Amino acid sequence: MKTFMGNAAVAMAVVSAILALATCGTNGGNTSDSRSAPKIGLLLPDTITARWETQDGPQLEKRIKELCSDCTVERTTAKNDVAFQQEQMESMITEGVDAIVLVAVDARSLRPTVRKAHEAGIPVIAYDRLAEGPISGYVSFDGEEVGKLQGRALLRAMGDKARSGQIVMMNGDPIDPNAVSFKQGALSVLKGKVKIAKSYDTLQWRPEAANANMSAAISALGAGNIQGVYAANDGLAGGSITALKANKVDPLPPVTGQDAELAAVRRIVAGDQYMTVYKPFGPEASAGAAMAVAAARGDSLNRIARDKVTTRDGTEVPAVMLTPISVTAADIKNTLVKDGMYTVRQICTPQLRAACKKEGLT
């Protein structure tokens, strides 16, 4: 069972819960523990996708400290290495942290370590990706909706070409549960509406792999025979666009994306990328931080989580599920700029001044 609230409603609910929790339990830490300085482990997956180090990591730390001034946060990055993340997590278990926020490199492989944390009495909050094993809570966006937004945008951009044209799908890493959801959502929109000529799964979400795969697709299909590109995130979009340009594809077909990376937003303004999916990091980080602090203190997560998700084990856990937003060039000002994600000055480099003016980004 899944229920979803709008971003504004979730943000208000999270803030209210945060204020309530922040005034509870003056000792901090688990209720069975008298320590006054809870420790929270934050395990990020990689530096390939810009959001982890530039958005989620800093915002999670900031919000945890706002909630719990005496909390300490131990933040690590796994460099997309499953074994390395297992070691990092086991180190935190041995250290005796009070809660763990986990963005799993590989949900299935981390399952035994999640169970080990559970057996040690350490609650694990799955952040953005639904980890396997006995997690205590989950914070993310509706992954299938992300894929549907991308698929709808691609068909809209292709117009009449969708009937007779063909596309290349550049999917994410199949070991990432989110990538599976994105692909399912996209296929639910694209199947029967356009020919999917080539479809690639991209291990570790590497842009260079997307570049190589797109070059192979162009070689197989012909430079003028690709009318659209479904790219699961902005990194894959960038790698695909570089290959299209290197192979003299002109005009570029519409290309989707996700994460609203600054480089992608600039590509959208320039006309190289058609759209991205914006997942406001503030509400997600606020919910993740609130869950982490509550878990570290031994408080109920149901006071924060208004949703429920069912894990692969069949267990229903508290969750906060947020709604993603489709962003094209015409939407940038009223979404990313309005929300303070980027300023017009950050987006509009000297080379993009004319394009920015055209889109009202002045």
Side-chain angles (χ1 to χ4, degrees):
M1 178 181 72
K2 292 193 287 188
T3 57
F4 302 103
M5 301 169 64
N7 285 327
V10 169
M12 290 303 296
V14 167
V15 169
S16 298
I18 282 172
L19 292 175
L21 287 168
T23 57
C24 294
T26 56
N27 289 333
N30 294 332
T31 54
S32 60
D33 193 317
S34 61
R35 288 176 293 179
S36 60
K39 291 183 180 179
I40 295 173
L42 173 55
L43 288 92
L44 302 178
D46 61 69
T47 56
I48 295 171
T49 301
R51 60 171 290 190
W52 303 124
E53 290 297 321
T54 63
Q55 297 291 338
D56 298 86
Q59 291 203 42
L60 277 162
E61 287 197 47
K62 178 183 176 183
R63 282 158 173 74
I64 288 171
K65 295 299 290 185
E66 288 172 350
L67 278 177
C68 178
S69 60
D70 61 345
C71 281
T72 57
V73 180
E74 185 175 338
R75 175 175 155 193
T76 63
T77 300
K79 301 179 182 178
N80 238 336
D81 187 318
V82 175
F84 191 28
Q85 190 170 61
Q86 288 172 328
E87 291 175 8
Q88 291 172 333
M89 194 164 173
E90 287 181 0
S91 176
M92 290 184 182
I93 294 169
T94 301
E95 186 181 330
V97 298
D98 297 282
I100 291 173
V101 179
L102 172 66
V103 189
V105 172
D106 181 343
R108 183 172 298 176
S109 296
L110 266 291
R111 179 187 179 112
T113 319
V114 171
R115 180 165 296 282
K116 188 177 292 187
H118 176 73
E119 290 170 351
I122 301 171
V124 175
I125 308 302
Y127 185 87
D128 203 74
R129 300 174 180 175
L130 186 58
E132 294 190 18
I135 61 172
S136 297
Y138 179 47
V139 179
S140 191
F141 286 80
D142 180 359
E144 287 197 19
E145 181 61 20
V146 169
K148 289 177 182 178
L149 289 175
Q150 293 169 322
R152 292 182 196 125
L154 185 58
L155 292 178
R156 184 167 59 249
M158 292 176 69
D160 292 339
K161 291 182 180 179
R163 297 177 186 174
S164 57
Q166 56 189 2
I167 68 168
V168 173
M169 291 191 73
M170 207 63 64
N171 307 298
D173 192 331
I175 68 171
D176 178 350
N178 280 357
V180 175
S181 295
F182 303 150
K183 185 176 180 179
Q184 288 175 343
L187 287 174
S188 73
V189 172
L190 297 171
K191 271 190 172 180
K193 299 288 182 63
V194 66
K195 179 182 178 182
I196 301 170
K198 294 287 182 181
S199 182
Y200 301 94
D201 291 333
T202 315
L203 294 178
Q204 298 185 343
W205 293 92
R206 292 189 177 277
E208 59 270 28
N211 182 282
N213 287 334
M214 182 55 67
S215 294
I218 293 168
S219 178
L221 302 173
N225 295 321
I226 298 172
Q227 283 72 44
V229 178
Y230 167 82
N233 78 351
D234 290 335
L236 303 186
S240 299
I241 290 167
T242 301
L244 290 164
K245 286 187 171 184
N247 284 276
K248 312 298 182 185
V249 176
D250 186 26
L252 290 172
V255 181
T256 66
Q258 178 187 182
D259 291 333
E261 293 182 2
L262 181 56
V265 176
R266 288 172 177 163
R267 287 195 298 268
I268 291 171
V269 173
D272 292 344
Q273 183 172 325
Y274 178 66
M275 63 84 73
T276 188
V277 176
Y278 172 41
K279 301 188 295 188
F281 301 115
E284 187 176 19
S286 292
M291 276 196 174
V293 172
R297 289 175 170 166
D299 293 326
S300 171
L301 299 187
N302 290 318
R303 299 177 62 184
I304 298 163
R306 304 298 179 87
D307 307 320
K308 298 285 185 182
V309 297
T310 302
T311 67
R312 291 197 178 186
D313 297 332
T315 303
E316 196 174 72
V317 299
V320 173
M321 301 298 293
L322 298 143
T323 305
I325 302 167
S326 178
V327 175
T328 62
D331 306 313
I332 292 171
K333 187 172 183 178
N334 290 324
T335 53
L336 304 177
V337 175
K338 184 179 178 180
D339 286 2
M341 179 83 167
Y342 304 117
T343 64
V344 170
R345 174 177 253 179
Q346 286 176 301
I347 297 168
C348 297
T349 61
Q351 296 85 352
L352 292 175
R353 280 176 187 161
C356 280
K357 186 175 181 181
K358 180 182 175 183
E359 299 300 338
L361 291 168
T362 55

mmCIF file of all heavy atoms in Angstrom, residues 221-241:
data_model
loop_
_atom_site.group_PDB
_atom_site.id
_atom_site.type_symbol
_atom_site.label_atom_id
_atom_site.label_comp_id
_atom_site.label_asym_id
_atom_site.label_seq_id
_atom_site.Cartn_x
_atom_site.Cartn_y
_atom_site.Cartn_z
ATOM 1 N N LEU A 221 21.817 1.878 -35.916
ATOM 2 C CA LEU A 221 20.549 2.404 -36.440
ATOM 3 C C LEU A 221 20.721 3.469 -37.511
ATOM 4 O O LEU A 221 19.840 3.678 -38.335
ATOM 5 C CB LEU A 221 19.712 2.991 -35.291
ATOM 6 C CG LEU A 221 19.365 2.042 -34.138
ATOM 7 C CD1 LEU A 221 18.696 2.814 -33.005
ATOM 8 C CD2 LEU A 221 18.462 0.910 -34.632
ATOM 9 N N GLY A 222 21.862 4.164 -37.470
ATOM 10 C CA GLY A 222 22.084 5.279 -38.386
ATOM 11 C C GLY A 222 21.862 6.600 -37.682
ATOM 12 O O GLY A 222 20.934 6.740 -36.879
ATOM 13 N N ALA A 223 22.695 7.575 -37.971
ATOM 14 C CA ALA A 223 22.675 8.853 -37.269
ATOM 15 C C ALA A 223 21.347 9.583 -37.389
ATOM 16 O O ALA A 223 20.937 10.303 -36.476
ATOM 17 C CB ALA A 223 23.806 9.751 -37.787
ATOM 18 N N GLY A 224 20.648 9.399 -38.501
ATOM 19 C CA GLY A 224 19.383 10.110 -38.681
ATOM 20 C C GLY A 224 18.157 9.321 -38.300
ATOM 21 O O GLY A 224 17.029 9.751 -38.578
ATOM 22 N N ASN A 225 18.361 8.179 -37.675
ATOM 23 C CA ASN A 225 17.221 7.288 -37.402
ATOM 24 C C ASN A 225 16.900 7.133 -35.922
ATOM 25 O O ASN A 225 16.331 6.129 -35.500
ATOM 26 C CB ASN A 225 17.494 5.907 -38.015
ATOM 27 C CG ASN A 225 17.564 5.972 -39.529
ATOM 28 O OD1 ASN A 225 16.799 6.701 -40.157
ATOM 29 N ND2 ASN A 225 18.486 5.222 -40.115
ATOM 30 N N ILE A 226 17.283 8.130 -35.126
ATOM 31 C CA ILE A 226 16.925 8.138 -33.707
ATOM 32 C C ILE A 226 16.118 9.406 -33.457
ATOM 33 O O ILE A 226 16.643 10.519 -33.553
ATOM 34 C CB ILE A 226 18.176 8.096 -32.802
ATOM 35 C CG1 ILE A 226 18.959 6.811 -33.044
ATOM 36 C CG2 ILE A 226 17.783 8.206 -31.330
ATOM 37 C CD1 ILE A 226 20.315 6.770 -32.348
ATOM 38 N N GLN A 227 14.838 9.241 -33.161
ATOM 39 C CA GLN A 227 13.954 10.392 -33.006
ATOM 40 C C GLN A 227 13.737 10.806 -31.549
ATOM 41 O O GLN A 227 13.105 11.824 -31.272
ATOM 42 C CB GLN A 227 12.591 10.109 -33.659
ATOM 43 C CG GLN A 227 12.606 10.210 -35.172
ATOM 44 C CD GLN A 227 13.347 9.048 -35.834
ATOM 45 O OE1 GLN A 227 13.177 7.892 -35.471
ATOM 46 N NE2 GLN A 227 14.197 9.381 -36.813
ATOM 47 N N GLY A 228 14.265 10.023 -30.626
ATOM 48 C CA GLY A 228 14.123 10.374 -29.217
ATOM 49 C C GLY A 228 15.023 9.514 -28.364
ATOM 50 O O GLY A 228 15.387 8.391 -28.751
ATOM 51 N N VAL A 229 15.417 10.043 -27.195
ATOM 52 C CA VAL A 229 16.270 9.297 -26.262
ATOM 53 C C VAL A 229 15.660 9.386 -24.865
ATOM 54 O O VAL A 229 15.477 10.483 -24.327
ATOM 55 C CB VAL A 229 17.710 9.856 -26.228
ATOM 56 C CG1 VAL A 229 18.548 9.091 -25.200
ATOM 57 C CG2 VAL A 229 18.352 9.785 -27.609
ATOM 58 N N TYR A 230 15.338 8.216 -24.316
ATOM 59 C CA TYR A 230 14.940 8.158 -22.915
ATOM 60 C C TYR A 230 16.205 7.931 -22.099
ATOM 61 O O TYR A 230 16.830 6.866 -22.191
ATOM 62 C CB TYR A 230 13.949 7.019 -22.650
ATOM 63 C CG TYR A 230 13.778 6.753 -21.162
ATOM 64 C CD1 TYR A 230 12.920 7.528 -20.407
ATOM 65 C CD2 TYR A 230 14.534 5.774 -20.510
ATOM 66 C CE1 TYR A 230 12.789 7.334 -19.043
ATOM 67 C CE2 TYR A 230 14.420 5.573 -19.145
ATOM 68 C CZ TYR A 230 13.546 6.350 -18.423
ATOM 69 O OH TYR A 230 13.441 6.164 -17.064
ATOM 70 N N ALA A 231 16.630 8.933 -21.345
ATOM 71 C CA ALA A 231 17.774 8.792 -20.443
ATOM 72 C C ALA A 231 17.238 8.880 -19.024
ATOM 73 O O ALA A 231 16.521 9.829 -18.678
ATOM 74 C CB ALA A 231 18.805 9.880 -20.699
ATOM 75 N N ALA A 232 17.593 7.902 -18.190
ATOM 76 C CA ALA A 232 16.988 7.801 -16.860
ATOM 77 C C ALA A 232 17.432 8.896 -15.907
ATOM 78 O O ALA A 232 16.706 9.229 -14.981
ATOM 79 C CB ALA A 232 17.290 6.426 -16.257
ATOM 80 N N ASN A 233 18.637 9.450 -16.096
ATOM 81 C CA ASN A 233 19.036 10.591 -15.258
ATOM 82 C C ASN A 233 19.907 11.546 -16.075
ATOM 83 O O ASN A 233 20.226 11.293 -17.240
ATOM 84 C CB ASN A 233 19.709 10.143 -13.960
ATOM 85 C CG ASN A 233 21.155 9.720 -14.116
ATOM 86 O OD1 ASN A 233 21.677 9.584 -15.216
ATOM 87 N ND2 ASN A 233 21.824 9.500 -13.000
ATOM 88 N N ASP A 234 20.290 12.653 -15.465
ATOM 89 C CA ASP A 234 21.009 13.691 -16.198
ATOM 90 C C ASP A 234 22.419 13.262 -16.605
ATOM 91 O O ASP A 234 22.928 13.703 -17.636
ATOM 92 C CB ASP A 234 21.079 14.974 -15.352
ATOM 93 C CG ASP A 234 19.721 15.641 -15.215
ATOM 94 O OD1 ASP A 234 18.860 15.441 -16.096
ATOM 95 O OD2 ASP A 234 19.514 16.358 -14.211
ATOM 96 N N GLY A 235 23.045 12.422 -15.792
ATOM 97 C CA GLY A 235 24.374 11.925 -16.160
ATOM 98 C C GLY A 235 24.320 11.108 -17.434
ATOM 99 O O GLY A 235 25.154 11.271 -18.337
ATOM 100 N N LEU A 236 23.322 10.222 -17.530
ATOM 101 C CA LEU A 236 23.163 9.403 -18.736
ATOM 102 C C LEU A 236 22.747 10.270 -19.920
ATOM 103 O O LEU A 236 23.142 10.002 -21.061
ATOM 104 C CB LEU A 236 22.129 8.301 -18.495
ATOM 105 C CG LEU A 236 22.416 7.354 -17.326
ATOM 106 C CD1 LEU A 236 21.389 6.232 -17.293
ATOM 107 C CD2 LEU A 236 23.823 6.778 -17.417
ATOM 108 N N ALA A 237 21.951 11.300 -19.642
ATOM 109 C CA ALA A 237 21.575 12.234 -20.712
ATOM 110 C C ALA A 237 22.814 12.924 -21.272
ATOM 111 O O ALA A 237 22.992 13.026 -22.490
ATOM 112 C CB ALA A 237 20.583 13.265 -20.176
ATOM 113 N N GLY A 238 23.684 13.385 -20.368
ATOM 114 C CA GLY A 238 24.906 14.061 -20.805
ATOM 115 C C GLY A 238 25.793 13.165 -21.642
ATOM 116 O O GLY A 238 26.325 13.580 -22.680
ATOM 117 N N GLY A 239 25.965 11.912 -21.194
ATOM 118 C CA GLY A 239 26.781 10.964 -21.952
ATOM 119 C C GLY A 239 26.182 10.673 -23.318
ATOM 120 O O GLY A 239 26.907 10.567 -24.320
ATOM 121 N N SER A 240 24.863 10.567 -23.378
ATOM 122 C CA SER A 240 24.184 10.295 -24.652
ATOM 123 C C SER A 240 24.312 11.473 -25.607
ATOM 124 O O SER A 240 24.567 11.300 -26.807
ATOM 125 C CB SER A 240 22.698 9.997 -24.387
ATOM 126 O OG SER A 240 22.542 8.860 -23.565
ATOM 127 N N ILE A 241 24.121 12.679 -25.088
ATOM 128 C CA ILE A 241 24.186 13.875 -25.925
ATOM 129 C C ILE A 241 25.590 14.071 -26.493
ATOM 130 O O ILE A 241 25.765 14.440 -27.658
ATOM 131 C CB ILE A 241 23.724 15.107 -25.118
ATOM 132 C CG1 ILE A 241 22.217 15.017 -24.867
ATOM 133 C CG2 ILE A 241 24.067 16.404 -25.841
ATOM 134 C CD1 ILE A 241 21.692 15.993 -23.838
#
